[in-house]
Coordinates of all heavy atoms in Angstrom, one line a residue:
S1 N -1.8 141.3 147.8 CA -2.9 142.0 147.2 C -2.5 142.6 145.8 O -1.3 142.8 145.6 CB -3.5 143.0 148.0 OG -2.8 144.2 148.0
T2 N -3.4 142.8 145.0 CA -3.1 143.4 143.7 C -2.5 144.8 143.8 O -1.5 145.1 143.1 CB -4.4 143.5 142.8 OG1 -4.9 142.1 142.7 CG2 -4.1 143.9 141.4
A3 N -3.0 145.6 144.7 CA -2.5 147.0 144.9 C -1.0 146.9 145.4 O -0.2 147.7 145.0 CB -3.3 147.8 145.9
H4 N -0.8 145.9 146.3 CA 0.6 145.8 146.8 C 1.5 145.4 145.7 O 2.6 145.9 145.6 CB 0.6 144.7 147.9 CG 1.8 144.6 148.7 ND1 2.7 143.6 148.4 CD2 2.4 145.3 149.6 CE1 3.8 143.7 149.2 NE2 3.6 144.7 149.9
D5 N 1.1 144.4 144.8 CA 1.9 144.0 143.7 C 2.2 145.1 142.8 O 3.3 145.3 142.3 CB 1.3 142.8 143.0 CG 1.2 141.6 143.8 OD1 1.9 141.4 144.8 OD2 0.3 140.7 143.5
A6 N 1.2 145.9 142.5 CA 1.3 147.1 141.6 C 2.3 148.1 142.1 O 3.1 148.6 141.4 CB 0.0 147.7 141.3
A7 N 2.2 148.4 143.5 CA 3.2 149.3 144.1 C 4.6 148.8 143.9 O 5.5 149.6 143.6 CB 2.8 149.5 145.5
H8 N 4.8 147.5 144.1 CA 6.2 147.0 144.0 C 6.6 147.1 142.5 O 7.8 147.4 142.3 CB 6.2 145.5 144.5 CG 6.3 145.4 145.9 ND1 7.4 145.9 146.7 CD2 5.4 144.9 146.8 CE1 7.2 145.7 147.9 NE2 6.0 145.1 148.1
L9 N 5.8 146.9 141.6 CA 6.1 147.0 140.2 C 6.5 148.4 139.8 O 7.5 148.6 139.1 CB 4.9 146.5 139.3 CG 5.1 146.4 137.8 CD1 6.3 145.5 137.4 CD2 3.9 146.0 137.1
V10 N 5.7 149.4 140.3 CA 6.0 150.8 140.0 C 7.4 151.1 140.6 O 8.2 151.8 139.9 CB 4.9 151.7 140.5 CG1 5.3 153.2 140.5 CG2 3.6 151.5 139.7
A11 N 7.6 150.7 141.8 CA 8.9 151.0 142.5 C 10.1 150.4 141.7 O 11.1 151.0 141.6 CB 8.9 150.5 143.9
A12 N 9.9 149.2 141.2 CA 10.9 148.5 140.4 C 11.2 149.2 139.1 O 12.4 149.4 138.8 CB 10.5 147.0 140.1
Y13 N 10.2 149.7 138.4 CA 10.4 150.5 137.2 C 11.1 151.8 137.6 O 12.0 152.2 136.8 CB 9.1 150.8 136.6 CG 8.5 149.7 135.8 CD1 7.1 149.4 135.9 CD2 9.2 148.9 134.9 CE1 6.5 148.4 135.2 CE2 8.6 147.9 134.1 CZ 7.3 147.6 134.3 OH 6.7 146.6 133.6
A14 N 10.7 152.4 138.7 CA 11.4 153.7 139.1 C 12.9 153.4 139.3 O 13.8 154.2 138.8 CB 10.7 154.2 140.3
R15 N 13.2 152.3 140.1 CA 14.6 152.0 140.3 C 15.4 151.8 139.0 O 16.5 152.2 138.9 CB 14.7 150.8 141.2 CG 14.5 151.0 142.7 CD 14.9 149.8 143.6 NE 14.2 148.6 143.2 CZ 13.0 148.2 143.6 NH1 12.3 149.0 144.4 NH2 12.5 147.1 143.2
E16 N 14.8 151.0 138.1 CA 15.4 150.7 136.8 C 15.8 152.0 136.1 O 16.7 152.0 135.3 CB 14.5 149.9 135.9 CG 14.4 148.5 136.4 CD 13.4 147.7 135.5 OE1 13.0 148.1 134.4 OE2 12.9 146.6 136.0
H17 N 15.1 153.1 136.3 CA 15.3 154.4 135.7 C 16.1 155.4 136.5 O 16.1 156.6 136.3 CB 14.0 155.0 135.2 CG 13.4 154.2 134.1 ND1 13.8 154.2 132.8 CD2 12.4 153.2 134.1 CE1 13.1 153.4 132.0 NE2 12.2 152.7 132.8
G18 N 16.7 154.8 137.6 CA 17.5 155.7 138.5 C 16.8 156.6 139.4 O 17.4 157.6 139.9
L19 N 15.5 156.3 139.7 CA 14.7 157.1 140.6 C 14.7 156.5 142.0 O 14.8 155.3 142.1 CB 13.3 157.3 140.0 CG 13.2 157.9 138.7 CD1 11.8 157.8 138.2 CD2 13.7 159.3 138.7
V20 N 14.6 157.4 143.0 CA 14.5 156.9 144.4 C 13.2 157.5 144.9 O 12.7 158.5 144.5 CB 15.7 157.4 145.2 CG1 17.0 156.7 144.7 CG2 15.8 158.9 145.2
P21 N 12.6 156.7 145.9 CA 11.3 157.2 146.6 C 11.5 158.6 147.1 O 12.5 158.9 147.7 CB 11.1 156.2 147.6 CG 11.8 155.0 147.2 CD 13.0 155.5 146.5
A22 N 10.5 159.4 147.0 CA 10.5 160.8 147.5 C 9.2 161.1 148.3 O 8.9 162.3 148.5 CB 10.7 161.8 146.3
G23 N 8.5 160.1 148.7 CA 7.3 160.4 149.5 C 6.1 159.7 148.8 O 6.1 159.1 147.8
G24 N 4.9 160.0 149.4 CA 3.7 159.4 148.9 C 2.5 159.8 149.8 O 2.7 160.5 150.8
A25 N 1.4 159.4 149.4 CA 0.2 159.7 150.1 C -0.9 158.7 149.7 O -0.9 158.0 148.7 CB -0.3 161.1 149.8
R26 N -1.9 158.6 150.6 CA -3.1 157.8 150.3 C -4.3 158.8 150.5 O -4.3 159.6 151.4 CB -3.2 156.6 151.3 CG -2.2 155.6 151.0 CD -2.2 154.4 152.0 NE -3.5 153.8 152.1 CZ -4.0 152.8 151.4 NH1 -3.2 152.3 150.4 NH2 -5.1 152.2 151.6
F27 N -5.3 158.6 149.7 CA -6.5 159.5 149.9 C -7.7 158.7 149.4 O -7.6 157.9 148.5 CB -6.4 160.8 149.2 CG -6.1 160.7 147.7 CD1 -7.2 160.8 146.8 CD2 -4.9 160.5 147.2 CE1 -7.0 160.7 145.4 CE2 -4.6 160.4 145.8 CZ -5.7 160.5 144.9
T28 N -8.9 159.1 149.9 CA -10.1 158.4 149.6 C -10.8 159.3 148.5 O -10.8 160.5 148.5 CB -11.1 158.4 150.8 OG1 -10.4 157.6 151.8 CG2 -12.4 157.7 150.5
G29 N -11.3 158.6 147.5 CA -12.1 159.2 146.4 C -13.5 159.4 146.9 O -14.4 158.7 146.5
H30 N -13.8 160.4 147.7 CA -15.1 160.6 148.3 C -16.2 160.8 147.3 O -16.0 161.5 146.3 CB -15.0 161.9 149.3 CG -14.2 161.7 150.4 ND1 -14.5 160.9 151.5 CD2 -12.9 162.2 150.7 CE1 -13.5 160.9 152.4 NE2 -12.6 161.7 151.9
G31 N -17.2 160.0 147.4 CA -18.4 160.1 146.5 C -18.1 159.3 145.2 O -19.0 159.4 144.3
Q32 N -17.1 158.5 145.2 CA -16.8 157.8 143.9 C -17.2 156.3 144.0 O -17.1 155.6 143.0 CB -15.3 157.9 143.6 CG -14.9 159.3 143.2 CD -13.4 159.4 142.8 OE1 -12.8 158.3 142.6 NE2 -12.9 160.5 142.8
G33 N -17.7 155.9 145.1 CA -18.2 154.5 145.2 C -19.5 154.4 144.3 O -20.3 155.2 144.4
R34 N -19.5 153.4 143.5 CA -20.6 153.2 142.6 C -21.3 151.9 142.8 O -20.6 150.9 143.2 CB -20.2 153.3 141.1 CG -19.7 154.6 140.6 CD -19.3 154.4 139.1 NE -19.0 155.6 138.5 CZ -17.8 156.3 138.6 NH1 -16.9 155.8 139.3 NH2 -17.6 157.4 138.0
S35 N -22.5 151.8 142.4 CA -23.2 150.4 142.4 C -22.8 149.8 141.1 O -22.4 150.5 140.1 CB -24.7 150.6 142.4 OG -25.2 151.2 141.2
P36 N -22.9 148.5 141.0 CA -22.6 147.8 139.8 C -23.4 148.3 138.6 O -22.9 148.5 137.5 CB -22.9 146.3 140.1 CG -22.6 146.2 141.5 CD -23.1 147.5 142.1
R37 N -24.7 148.5 138.8 CA -25.6 149.0 137.8 C -25.2 150.3 137.2 O -25.1 150.6 136.0 CB -27.1 149.0 138.2 CG -28.0 149.2 137.1 CD -29.5 149.3 137.6 NE -29.9 148.4 138.6 CZ -30.2 147.1 138.5 NH1 -30.2 146.6 137.3 NH2 -30.6 146.4 139.5
R38 N -24.8 151.2 138.1 CA -24.4 152.6 137.7 C -23.0 152.5 137.0 O -22.8 153.2 136.0 CB -24.2 153.5 139.0 CG -23.7 154.9 138.6 CD -23.7 155.8 139.8 NE -22.9 157.0 139.4 CZ -22.2 157.6 140.3 NH1 -22.2 157.3 141.6 NH2 -21.5 158.7 139.9
T39 N -22.2 151.6 137.4 CA -20.9 151.5 136.7 C -21.0 150.9 135.3 O -20.4 151.4 134.4 CB -19.9 150.5 137.6 OG1 -19.8 151.0 138.9 CG2 -18.6 150.4 136.9
V40 N -22.0 150.0 135.1 CA -22.2 149.5 133.8 C -22.7 150.6 132.9 O -22.3 150.8 131.8 CB -23.2 148.3 133.8 CG1 -23.8 148.0 132.4 CG2 -22.6 147.1 134.4
A41 N -23.7 151.4 133.4 CA -24.2 152.6 132.7 C -23.1 153.6 132.4 O -23.0 154.1 131.2 CB -25.3 153.3 133.5
D42 N -22.2 153.8 133.3 CA -21.1 154.7 133.1 C -20.1 154.2 132.0 O -19.6 154.9 131.2 CB -20.3 155.0 134.4 CG -21.1 155.9 135.4 OD1 -22.1 156.5 134.9 OD2 -20.7 156.0 136.5
L43 N -19.9 152.9 132.1 CA -19.0 152.3 131.0 C -19.6 152.5 129.7 O -18.9 152.8 128.7 CB -18.9 150.7 131.3 CG -17.8 150.2 132.2 CD1 -18.0 148.8 132.5 CD2 -16.4 150.4 131.5
R44 N -20.9 152.3 129.5 CA -21.5 152.3 128.2 C -21.7 153.7 127.7 O -22.0 153.9 126.5 CB -22.9 151.5 128.3 CG -22.6 150.1 128.5 CD -23.7 149.2 128.1 NE -23.3 147.8 128.1 CZ -23.9 146.8 128.7 NH1 -25.0 147.0 129.4 NH2 -23.4 145.6 128.5
R45 N -21.6 154.7 128.6 CA -21.8 156.1 128.1 C -20.4 156.8 127.9 O -20.3 158.0 127.6 CB -22.7 156.9 129.0 CG -22.1 157.3 130.4 CD -23.2 158.1 131.2 NE -22.7 158.3 132.5 CZ -22.0 159.4 132.9 NH1 -21.7 160.4 132.0 NH2 -21.7 159.6 134.1
G46 N -19.3 156.0 128.2 CA -18.0 156.6 127.9 C -17.4 157.4 129.1 O -16.4 158.1 128.9
W47 N -17.9 157.1 130.3 CA -17.4 157.9 131.5 C -15.9 157.5 131.7 O -15.1 158.4 132.1 CB -18.2 157.5 132.7 CG -17.7 158.2 134.0 CD1 -17.0 157.6 135.0 CD2 -18.0 159.5 134.4 NE1 -16.8 158.5 136.0 CE2 -17.4 159.7 135.6 CE3 -18.7 160.6 133.8 CZ2 -17.4 160.9 136.3 CZ3 -18.7 161.8 134.5 CH2 -18.1 161.9 135.7
F48 N -15.5 156.3 131.5 CA -14.1 155.9 131.7 C -13.3 156.0 130.4 O -13.5 155.2 129.5 CB -14.1 154.4 132.2 CG -14.9 154.2 133.5 CD1 -16.1 153.7 133.5 CD2 -14.3 154.6 134.7 CE1 -16.8 153.5 134.6 CE2 -15.1 154.4 135.9 CZ -16.3 153.9 135.8
V49 N -12.6 157.1 130.3 CA -11.9 157.4 129.0 C -11.0 156.3 128.5 O -10.7 156.3 127.3 CB -11.2 158.8 129.1 CG1 -12.2 159.9 129.3 CG2 -10.1 158.8 130.1
T50 N -10.5 155.5 129.4 CA -9.5 154.4 129.0 C -10.3 153.2 128.4 O -9.6 152.3 127.9 CB -8.6 154.0 130.1 OG1 -9.4 153.6 131.2 CG2 -7.7 155.2 130.5
L51 N -11.6 153.2 128.6 CA -12.4 152.1 128.1 C -13.6 152.7 127.3 O -14.7 152.8 127.8 CB -13.0 151.2 129.2 CG -12.0 150.4 130.0 CD1 -12.7 149.8 131.2 CD2 -11.5 149.3 129.1
P52 N -13.3 153.0 126.0 CA -14.4 153.5 125.2 C -15.6 152.6 125.0 O -15.4 151.4 125.0 CB -13.7 153.7 123.8 CG -12.3 153.7 124.0 CD -12.1 152.8 125.2
P53 N -16.8 153.2 124.9 CA -18.0 152.4 124.8 C -17.9 151.4 123.6 O -17.3 151.8 122.5 CB -19.1 153.4 124.5 CG -18.6 154.7 125.1 CD -17.1 154.6 124.9
G54 N -18.3 150.2 123.7 CA -18.3 149.2 122.6 C -17.0 148.5 122.6 O -16.8 147.5 121.9
E55 N -15.9 149.0 123.3 CA -14.6 148.3 123.3 C -14.9 146.9 123.9 O -15.6 146.8 124.9 CB -13.7 149.1 124.2 CG -12.3 148.6 124.3 CD -11.4 149.1 123.1 OE1 -11.8 150.0 122.4 OE2 -10.4 148.5 123.0
P56 N -14.3 145.8 123.4 CA -14.5 144.5 123.9 C -14.2 144.4 125.4 O -15.0 143.7 126.1 CB -13.6 143.6 123.1 CG -13.4 144.3 121.8 CD -13.5 145.8 122.1
L57 N -13.2 145.0 125.9 CA -12.8 144.9 127.3 C -13.9 145.6 128.2 O -14.3 145.2 129.2 CB -11.5 145.6 127.6 CG -10.9 145.4 129.0 CD1 -10.9 143.9 129.5 CD2 -9.6 146.1 129.1
A58 N -14.5 146.8 127.7 CA -15.5 147.5 128.4 C -16.8 146.5 128.5 O -17.4 146.5 129.6 CB -15.9 148.8 127.7
E59 N -17.1 145.9 127.4 CA -18.2 145.0 127.5 C -18.0 143.8 128.4 O -18.9 143.3 129.0 CB -18.6 144.5 126.1 CG -19.3 145.6 125.3 CD -20.5 146.1 126.0 OE1 -21.4 145.4 126.5 OE2 -20.6 147.4 126.2
E60 N -16.7 143.3 128.4 CA -16.4 142.2 129.3 C -16.6 142.6 130.8 O -17.2 141.9 131.6 CB -15.0 141.7 129.1 CG -14.6 140.6 130.1 CD -13.1 140.2 130.0 OE1 -12.5 140.4 128.9 OE2 -12.6 139.7 131.0
F61 N -16.2 143.8 131.1 CA -16.4 144.4 132.5 C -17.8 144.6 132.7 O -18.3 144.2 133.8 CB -15.6 145.7 132.7 CG -14.2 145.6 132.9 CD1 -13.2 146.3 132.2 CD2 -13.7 144.7 133.9 CE1 -11.9 146.2 132.4 CE2 -12.3 144.6 134.1 CZ -11.4 145.3 133.4
A62 N -18.6 145.1 131.8 CA -20.0 145.3 132.0 C -20.7 144.0 132.3 O -21.6 143.9 133.2 CB -20.6 145.9 130.7
T63 N -20.4 142.9 131.6 CA -21.0 141.6 131.8 C -20.7 141.1 133.2 O -21.5 140.6 133.9 CB -20.5 140.6 130.7 OG1 -20.9 141.1 129.4 CG2 -21.0 139.2 131.0
R64 N -19.4 141.2 133.6 CA -19.0 140.8 134.9 C -19.7 141.6 136.0 O -20.1 141.1 137.0 CB -17.5 140.8 135.0 CG -16.8 139.8 134.1 CD -15.3 139.9 134.0 NE -14.7 139.8 135.3 CZ -13.4 140.0 135.6 NH1 -12.6 140.5 134.6 NH2 -12.9 139.8 136.8
L65 N -19.8 142.9 135.8 CA -20.4 143.8 136.8 C -21.9 143.4 136.9 O -22.5 143.4 138.0 CB -20.3 145.2 136.4 CG -18.9 145.8 136.6 CD1 -18.7 147.1 135.8 CD2 -18.7 146.1 138.1
A66 N -22.6 143.1 135.8 CA -24.0 142.8 135.8 C -24.3 141.5 136.6 O -25.4 141.3 137.0 CB -24.5 142.7 134.4
A67 N -23.3 140.7 136.7 CA -23.5 139.4 137.4 C -23.3 139.5 139.0 O -23.6 138.6 139.7 CB -22.5 138.4 136.9
L68 N -22.9 140.7 139.4 CA -22.7 140.9 140.9 C -24.0 141.0 141.6 O -25.0 141.5 141.1 CB -21.8 142.1 141.1 CG -20.4 142.1 140.7 CD1 -19.7 143.4 140.8 CD2 -19.6 141.0 141.5
P69 N -24.0 140.6 142.9 CA -25.2 140.8 143.7 C -25.4 142.3 144.1 O -24.5 143.1 143.9 CB -25.0 139.9 144.9 CG -23.5 139.9 145.0 CD -22.9 139.9 143.6
D70 N -26.6 142.6 144.6 CA -26.9 143.9 145.1 C -26.6 145.0 144.0 O -25.8 145.9 144.3 CB -26.2 144.2 146.4 CG -26.5 143.2 147.5 OD1 -27.7 142.8 147.6 OD2 -25.6 142.8 148.2
Q71 N -27.2 144.9 142.9 CA -26.9 145.8 141.7 C -27.0 147.3 142.1 O -26.4 148.1 141.4 CB -27.8 145.4 140.6 CG -27.3 144.2 139.8 CD -26.0 144.4 139.1 OE1 -26.0 145.3 138.2 NE2 -25.0 143.7 139.4
D72 N -27.9 147.6 143.0 CA -28.1 149.0 143.3 C -27.4 149.5 144.5 O -27.6 150.7 144.9 CB -29.6 149.3 143.4 CG -30.3 149.1 142.0 OD1 -29.8 149.6 141.0 OD2 -31.3 148.4 141.9
R73 N -26.6 148.7 145.2 CA -25.9 149.1 146.4 C -24.6 149.7 146.0 O -23.7 149.0 145.5 CB -25.7 147.9 147.4 CG -25.1 148.3 148.7 CD -24.9 147.1 149.6 NE -24.2 146.0 149.0 CZ -22.9 145.8 148.9 NH1 -22.1 146.8 149.4 NH2 -22.4 144.8 148.4
P74 N -24.3 151.0 146.3 CA -23.0 151.5 146.1 C -21.9 150.8 146.9 O -22.2 150.5 148.0 CB -23.1 153.0 146.5 CG -24.6 153.3 146.5 CD -25.3 152.0 146.9
R75 N -20.8 150.6 146.3 CA -19.7 150.0 146.9 C -18.9 151.1 147.7 O -19.1 152.3 147.5 CB -18.8 149.3 145.9 CG -19.4 148.1 145.2 CD -20.4 147.3 146.0 NE -20.7 146.0 145.4 CZ -21.9 145.7 145.0 NH1 -22.9 146.5 145.0 NH2 -22.0 144.4 144.5
A76 N -17.9 150.7 148.5 CA -17.2 151.7 149.2 C -16.4 152.6 148.3 O -16.0 152.3 147.2 CB -16.2 151.0 150.2
D77 N -16.2 153.9 148.8 CA -15.3 154.8 148.0 C -13.9 154.2 147.9 O -13.4 153.6 148.8 CB -15.2 156.1 148.7 CG -16.5 156.9 148.7 OD1 -17.3 156.7 147.8 OD2 -16.7 157.8 149.5
P78 N -13.3 154.4 146.7 CA -12.0 153.8 146.5 C -10.9 154.6 147.3 O -11.1 155.8 147.6 CB -11.8 154.0 145.0 CG -12.6 155.1 144.6 CD -13.8 155.0 145.5
V79 N -9.9 153.9 147.6 CA -8.7 154.6 148.3 C -7.6 154.5 147.3 O -7.2 153.4 146.8 CB -8.3 153.9 149.6 CG1 -7.1 154.5 150.2 CG2 -9.5 153.9 150.6
F80 N -7.0 155.7 147.0 CA -5.9 155.8 146.0 C -4.6 156.0 146.7 O -4.5 156.5 147.8 CB -6.1 157.0 145.1 CG -7.4 156.9 144.3 CD1 -8.5 157.5 144.7 CD2 -7.4 156.1 143.1 CE1 -9.7 157.4 144.0 CE2 -8.6 156.0 142.4 CZ -9.7 156.7 142.8
T81 N -3.5 155.5 146.1 CA -2.2 155.6 146.6 C -1.3 156.4 145.6 O -1.3 156.0 144.4 CB -1.5 154.2 146.9 OG1 -2.3 153.5 147.8 CG2 -0.1 154.4 147.5
L82 N -0.6 157.4 146.1 CA 0.2 158.2 145.2 C 1.7 158.0 145.7 O 2.0 158.1 146.9 CB -0.1 159.7 145.4 CG 0.7 160.7 144.6 CD1 0.5 160.6 143.1 CD2 0.4 162.1 145.1
A83 N 2.5 157.7 144.7 CA 4.0 157.5 145.0 C 4.8 158.5 144.3 O 4.5 158.7 143.1 CB 4.4 156.1 144.7
A84 N 5.7 159.2 144.9 CA 6.6 160.2 144.3 C 8.0 159.6 144.2 O 8.5 159.0 145.2 CB 6.5 161.5 145.0
F85 N 8.7 159.9 143.1 CA 10.1 159.5 142.9 C 10.9 160.7 142.4 O 10.3 161.6 141.8 CB 10.2 158.3 141.9 CG 9.4 157.1 142.4 CD1 8.1 156.9 142.1 CD2 10.0 156.1 143.2 CE1 7.4 155.8 142.5 CE2 9.4 155.0 143.6 CZ 8.0 154.9 143.3
T86 N 12.2 160.7 142.7 CA 13.0 161.8 142.2 C 14.4 161.2 141.8 O 14.7 160.1 142.2 CB 13.2 162.8 143.3 OG1 13.9 164.0 142.7 CG2 14.0 162.3 144.5
K87 N 15.1 162.0 141.0 CA 16.5 161.6 140.6 C 17.4 162.0 141.8 O 17.2 163.1 142.3 CB 16.9 162.2 139.4 CG 16.3 161.6 138.1 CD 17.0 162.0 136.9 CE 16.4 161.4 135.7 NZ 17.2 160.4 135.1
P88 N 18.3 161.1 142.2 CA 19.2 161.5 143.3 C 20.2 162.5 142.9 O 20.5 162.8 141.8 CB 19.9 160.1 143.7 CG 19.6 159.2 142.6 CD 18.5 159.8 141.8

């Protein structure tokens, strides 16, 4: 999965910088599940600070989201993974 690949990439970068795993956690972003229509609206009003409104990537995401079925059905709340590293 993409999340699994990302976790391995983060761990590899940490190792390259002399860091070792020091714990971690997983948590649900309660109330953060959005419908595609709401996500498009949030993209266009600047809710996601890493994707400013009008940015080509934001518009690409908006187009792809608008093509999804069930535009008004909220999706599941996201689950986040936190990894901690320390110097030995």
Side-chain angles (χ1 to χ4, degrees):
S1 78
T2 304
H4 187 259
D5 294 342
H8 281 296
L9 183 61
V10 168
Y13 282 134
R15 278 191 308 276
E16 287 176 19
H17 293 281
L19 301 173
V20 296
R26 289 176 56 86
F27 60 94
T28 300
H30 294 287
Q32 294 183 14
R34 290 181 173 83
S35 69
R37 191 180 321 277
R38 179 174 165 212
T39 305
V40 168
D42 288 345
L43 271 170
R44 292 199 168 130
R45 71 180 176 92
W47 178 259
F48 302 100
V49 296
T50 57
L51 288 171
E55 183 86 13
L57 186 57
E59 284 307 308
E60 179 185 334
F61 281 130
T63 299
R64 291 171 63 190
L65 286 161
L68 292 173
D70 301 320
Q71 282 290 301
D72 294 311
R73 182 180 53 83
R75 299 322 198 244
D77 288 338
V79 176
F80 298 98
T81 300
L82 175 69
F85 298 89
T86 188
K87 287 196 177 243

